[in-house]
Amino acid sequence: MTSVKEFRVDEPATADSLGRGRFVFTDAYSVFDWGQMPDAIPRKGASLCAMGAFNFELLEAEGVPTHYRGVADADTGDIVPLADATAPPTEMAIDLTQVPDLPYEGPDAGYDYDAFHAAGGENYLVPLEVVFRNRVPVGSSLRRRREPADFGLDADLDIAPDEWPDGPVDLPEPVVEFSTKYEQQDRYLARAEADRIAGAADVDALESLARDVNRVVTERAEAAGFVHEDGKIECLYVDGELRVADVVGTFDENRFSYGGRGISKEVVRQWYKANDPAWVEAVTEAKAAVADRDIDDWRVLCELDPDPLPPAVVEAVSELYAAGTNAYTGREWFDAPDIEAALDAVDGL
């Protein structure tokens, strides 16, 4: 099980062929790379499954290759297109690729990607996340790593080259970045290192695929009244072809806003920053402390565990996921308030 969904294998992938399996979406959630948190958010799993399936089908219609095969109908268990599902689905059928182990050789040698690719051959999950950004919200890590002048924003907005404005900033063109997938702490990478870590997969092709996904999700978001701010994809590589893997365009993988208000997992991150700052600080310190050790799991060094969310927060976030999915997909999957009312409830926390 990952931190938010179970992974079932029906036919394992081999060096020569893809396998078959399913994602089973749970109501668990994760923030700050912690893994599964101490409580759950009802309807979150079904929301992510429906929204992810909707986006995969949009991508397939645009000719973008993916590992998606359909959703499990709640009544029959048959694998069907999303439109034929009789209730909000929680299982997604997918093609499977190989996911080799990534050995950690200590703080000096780091991770052994050569061993990863030797085991993966020509059929593997690319050990990168490909991040695309259309907007730079206040909480974006891009503000810590880059300056407005890098994107020509200082001239466009008449601001200092190294000082980001207080509010969100739209980028003149989408920005694509690469970060690690299987390391215990995500790292943003220079293009040359990303190309090395990608193995046989071509980094230019990864960027092109990410831009296609970003375009499709952005266009759908706009049609449904959302602004698509940023997101990411993961990819499998098989016999020279890249396909979009994992899940695409949900409120966990991507940041959206509606009427100027954010709708994504960022709501939960911000609650923890405001209401459980000791744990957030302990996470930060543990991530820093692991850098000089022979282990890579920073969690064993974290001295605190997170507090559960109060019931009122759980309910408000559950309503937000459900209402957002209804609005984005254009189908009333859930008995939920409209999205404006759901956002009002979150604002009132």
Side-chain angles (χ1 to χ4, degrees):
M1 179 172 177
T2 69
S3 58
V4 298
K5 56 185 180 289
E6 296 176 2
F7 184 67
R8 296 184 183 172
V9 177
D10 299 323
E11 300 175 18
T14 69
D16 300 319
S17 64
L18 295 172
R20 293 288 180 94
R22 299 189 185 192
F23 285 142
V24 181
F25 290 78
T26 74
D27 291 333
Y29 69 97
S30 174
V31 290
F32 303 112
D33 303 320
W34 179 259
Q36 190 168 339
M37 298 291 280
D39 47 12
I41 298 172
R43 301 184 292 183
K44 176 179 178 287
S47 296
L48 298 185
C49 186
M51 199 168 171
F54 185 87
N55 282 315
F56 272 133
E57 293 181 8
L58 288 179
L59 291 172
E60 293 282 359
E62 291 284 326
V64 178
T66 79
H67 73 164
Y68 171 78
R69 296 195 299 112
V71 296
D73 183 76
D75 291 336
T76 66
D78 294 338
I79 303 304
V80 298
L82 182 63
D84 294 343
T86 56
T90 58
E91 295 189 21
M92 178 184 293
I94 57 172
D95 291 324
L96 301 180
T97 187
Q98 299 183 110
V99 185
D101 290 333
L102 177 61
Y104 179 67
E105 304 295 340
D108 294 329
Y111 291 87
D112 188 349
Y113 283 99
D114 290 339
F116 178 96
H117 289 296
E122 294 290 313
N123 180 11
Y124 63 93
L125 192 67
V126 178
L128 293 171
E129 293 185 347
V130 191
V131 180
F132 40 80
R133 304 181 188 278
N134 305 309
R135 171 178 284 185
V136 188
V138 173
S140 174
S141 68
L142 195 71
R143 291 176 179 250
R144 300 191 302 271
R145 297 180 289 104
R146 306 283 294 275
E147 297 180 350
D150 295 337
F151 311 103
L153 291 169
D154 54 330
D156 292 343
L157 301 176
D158 192 24
I159 57 176
D162 59 348
E163 293 183 7
W164 287 96
D166 292 337
V169 178
D170 289 323
L171 292 163
E173 297 291 339
V175 170
V176 175
E177 299 184 292
F178 300 91
S179 70
T180 54
K181 164 66 179 170
Y182 291 119
E183 298 182 11
Q184 287 292 335
Q185 298 189 58
D186 294 340
R187 293 187 297 125
Y188 281 94
L189 304 167
R191 195 178 189 87
E193 187 176 9
D195 199 22
R196 179 183 66 81
I197 288 174
D202 180 72
V203 73
D204 292 335
L206 285 166
E207 178 176 348
S208 178
L209 192 59
R211 290 188 183 277
D212 286 341
V213 172
N214 183 40
R215 174 182 56 79
V216 171
V217 174
T218 298
E219 289 173 355
R220 174 56 200 174
E222 182 177 354
F226 292 81
V227 172
H228 178 219
E229 297 184 347
D230 59 39
K232 68 177 179 67
I233 61 168
E234 298 172 20
C235 300
L236 66 84
Y237 177 86
V238 55
D239 296 331
E241 181 186 45
L242 286 168
R243 302 184 192 180
V244 182
D246 196 50
V247 185
V248 172
T250 75
F251 297 131
D252 273 11
E253 278 75 26
N254 300 54
R255 265 191 282 219
F256 298 88
S257 59
Y258 190 95
R261 294 188 284 180
I263 173 169
S264 72
K265 191 170 65 172
E266 186 68 21
V267 170
V268 181
R269 291 192 194 96
Q270 294 303 322
W271 186 89
Y272 274 98
K273 286 182 179 180
N275 295 277
D276 196 2
W279 171 68
V280 175
E281 179 62 24
V283 166
T284 302
E285 292 175 354
K287 288 181 175 180
V290 79
D292 296 325
R293 296 175 181 249
D294 289 332
I295 60 170
D296 63 339
D297 187 358
W298 56 267
R299 294 167 192 79
V300 301
L301 303 178
C302 193
E303 297 180 351
L304 297 175
D305 291 331
D307 292 333
L309 295 171
V313 176
V314 171
E315 181 179 1
V317 175
S318 172
E319 298 272 65
L320 186 61
Y321 273 92
T325 300
N326 286 348
Y328 185 89
T329 63
R331 178 171 171 178
E332 294 297 311
W333 292 104
F334 304 99
D335 181 12
D338 64 43
I339 192 168
E340 293 280 4
L343 284 163
D344 287 344
V346 169
D347 288 345
L349 295 176

